CSV table of all heavy atoms in Angstrom, one decimal:
chain,number,residue,atom,x,y,z
A,11,ASN,N,22.8,-8.7,-0.5
A,11,ASN,CA,22.9,-7.3,0.1
A,11,ASN,C,23.4,-7.4,1.5
A,11,ASN,O,24.1,-6.5,2.0
A,11,ASN,CB,21.5,-6.6,0.0
A,11,ASN,CG,21.1,-6.2,-1.4
A,11,ASN,OD1,22.0,-6.0,-2.2
A,11,ASN,ND2,19.9,-6.1,-1.7
A,12,ILE,N,22.9,-8.4,2.2
A,12,ILE,CA,23.4,-8.6,3.6
A,12,ILE,C,24.9,-8.9,3.6
A,12,ILE,O,25.7,-8.3,4.4
A,12,ILE,CB,22.7,-9.8,4.3
A,12,ILE,CG1,21.2,-9.4,4.4
A,12,ILE,CG2,23.2,-10.0,5.7
A,12,ILE,CD1,20.3,-10.5,5.1
A,13,LEU,N,25.3,-9.8,2.7
A,13,LEU,CA,26.7,-10.1,2.6
A,13,LEU,C,27.6,-8.9,2.2
A,13,LEU,O,28.7,-8.8,2.7
A,13,LEU,CB,26.9,-11.3,1.6
A,13,LEU,CG,26.3,-12.6,2.0
A,13,LEU,CD1,26.4,-13.6,0.9
A,13,LEU,CD2,27.0,-13.1,3.3
A,14,LYS,N,27.1,-8.1,1.3
A,14,LYS,CA,27.9,-6.9,0.8
A,14,LYS,C,28.1,-6.0,2.0
A,14,LYS,O,29.1,-5.2,1.9
A,14,LYS,CB,27.1,-6.2,-0.3
A,14,LYS,CG,27.2,-6.9,-1.6
A,14,LYS,CD,28.6,-6.9,-2.2
A,14,LYS,CE,29.0,-5.4,-2.6
A,14,LYS,NZ,30.4,-5.4,-3.0
A,15,ASN,N,27.3,-6.0,3.0
A,15,ASN,CA,27.5,-5.1,4.2
A,15,ASN,C,28.5,-5.8,5.2
A,15,ASN,O,28.8,-5.2,6.2
A,15,ASN,CB,26.2,-4.8,4.9
A,15,ASN,CG,25.3,-3.9,4.1
A,15,ASN,OD1,25.8,-3.0,3.4
A,15,ASN,ND2,24.0,-4.1,4.1
A,16,ASN,N,29.0,-7.0,4.9
A,16,ASN,CA,29.9,-7.7,5.8
A,16,ASN,C,31.3,-7.4,5.2
A,16,ASN,O,31.6,-7.4,4.0
A,16,ASN,CB,29.6,-9.2,5.7
A,16,ASN,CG,30.5,-10.0,6.7
A,16,ASN,OD1,31.7,-9.9,6.6
A,16,ASN,ND2,29.8,-10.7,7.5
A,17,SER,N,32.2,-7.0,6.2
A,17,SER,CA,33.6,-6.6,5.8
A,17,SER,C,34.3,-7.7,5.0
A,17,SER,O,35.2,-7.5,4.1
A,17,SER,CB,34.4,-6.3,7.0
A,17,SER,OG,34.5,-7.4,7.9
A,18,LEU,N,33.9,-9.0,5.2
A,18,LEU,CA,34.6,-10.1,4.5
A,18,LEU,C,34.3,-10.0,3.0
A,18,LEU,O,35.2,-10.3,2.1
A,18,LEU,CB,34.0,-11.4,5.0
A,18,LEU,CG,34.4,-11.9,6.3
A,18,LEU,CD1,33.7,-13.2,6.7
A,18,LEU,CD2,35.9,-12.2,6.4
A,19,PHE,N,33.1,-9.5,2.6
A,19,PHE,CA,32.7,-9.5,1.2
A,19,PHE,C,32.6,-8.1,0.6
A,19,PHE,O,32.1,-7.9,-0.5
A,19,PHE,CB,31.4,-10.2,1.1
A,19,PHE,CG,31.4,-11.6,1.6
A,19,PHE,CD1,30.8,-11.9,2.8
A,19,PHE,CD2,32.0,-12.6,0.9
A,19,PHE,CE1,30.8,-13.2,3.3
A,19,PHE,CE2,32.0,-13.9,1.4
A,19,PHE,CZ,31.4,-14.2,2.6
A,20,ALA,N,33.1,-7.1,1.3
A,20,ALA,CA,33.0,-5.7,0.9
A,20,ALA,C,33.7,-5.5,-0.5
A,20,ALA,O,33.2,-4.6,-1.2
A,20,ALA,CB,33.6,-4.8,1.9
A,21,ASP,N,34.7,-6.2,-0.8
A,21,ASP,CA,35.5,-6.0,-2.0
A,21,ASP,C,35.0,-6.9,-3.2
A,21,ASP,O,35.5,-6.8,-4.3
A,21,ASP,CB,36.9,-6.3,-1.8
A,21,ASP,CG,37.9,-5.7,-2.8
A,21,ASP,OD1,37.7,-4.5,-3.1
A,21,ASP,OD2,38.7,-6.3,-3.3
A,22,PHE,N,33.9,-7.7,-3.0
A,22,PHE,CA,33.3,-8.5,-4.1
A,22,PHE,C,32.2,-7.7,-4.8
A,22,PHE,O,31.5,-7.0,-4.1
A,22,PHE,CB,32.8,-9.8,-3.5
A,22,PHE,CG,33.8,-10.8,-3.0
A,22,PHE,CD1,34.3,-10.7,-1.7
A,22,PHE,CD2,34.3,-11.8,-3.9
A,22,PHE,CE1,35.3,-11.6,-1.3
A,22,PHE,CE2,35.2,-12.7,-3.5
A,22,PHE,CZ,35.7,-12.6,-2.2
A,23,THR,N,32.1,-7.9,-6.0
A,23,THR,CA,30.9,-7.4,-6.7
A,23,THR,C,29.8,-8.4,-6.6
A,23,THR,O,30.0,-9.6,-6.2
A,23,THR,CB,31.2,-7.3,-8.2
A,23,THR,OG1,31.4,-8.6,-8.8
A,23,THR,CG2,32.4,-6.4,-8.5
A,24,LYS,N,28.6,-8.0,-6.8
A,24,LYS,CA,27.4,-8.9,-6.7
A,24,LYS,C,27.6,-10.1,-7.7
A,24,LYS,O,27.3,-11.2,-7.3
A,24,LYS,CB,26.1,-8.1,-7.1
A,24,LYS,CG,24.9,-8.9,-6.9
A,24,LYS,CD,23.6,-8.1,-7.2
A,24,LYS,CE,22.4,-9.0,-7.1
A,24,LYS,NZ,21.1,-8.1,-7.4
A,25,ASP,N,28.0,-9.8,-8.9
A,25,ASP,CA,28.2,-10.9,-9.8
A,25,ASP,C,29.2,-11.9,-9.4
A,25,ASP,O,29.1,-13.1,-9.6
A,25,ASP,CB,28.6,-10.4,-11.2
A,25,ASP,CG,27.4,-9.6,-11.9
A,25,ASP,OD1,26.2,-9.9,-11.5
A,25,ASP,OD2,27.7,-8.8,-12.8
A,26,GLU,N,30.3,-11.4,-8.8
A,26,GLU,CA,31.4,-12.3,-8.3
A,26,GLU,C,30.8,-13.2,-7.2
A,26,GLU,O,31.1,-14.4,-7.1
A,26,GLU,CB,32.6,-11.5,-7.7
A,26,GLU,CG,33.4,-10.9,-8.8
A,26,GLU,CD,34.5,-9.9,-8.3
A,26,GLU,OE1,34.3,-9.4,-7.2
A,26,GLU,OE2,35.4,-9.7,-9.0
Side-chain angles (χ1 to χ4, degrees):
N11 289 335
I12 297 176
L13 292 174
K14 284 290 293 177
N15 290 325
N16 187 301
S17 60
L18 289 173
F19 304 102
D21 200 47
F22 288 87
T23 66
K24 181 178 179 180
D25 289 340
E26 286 173 338

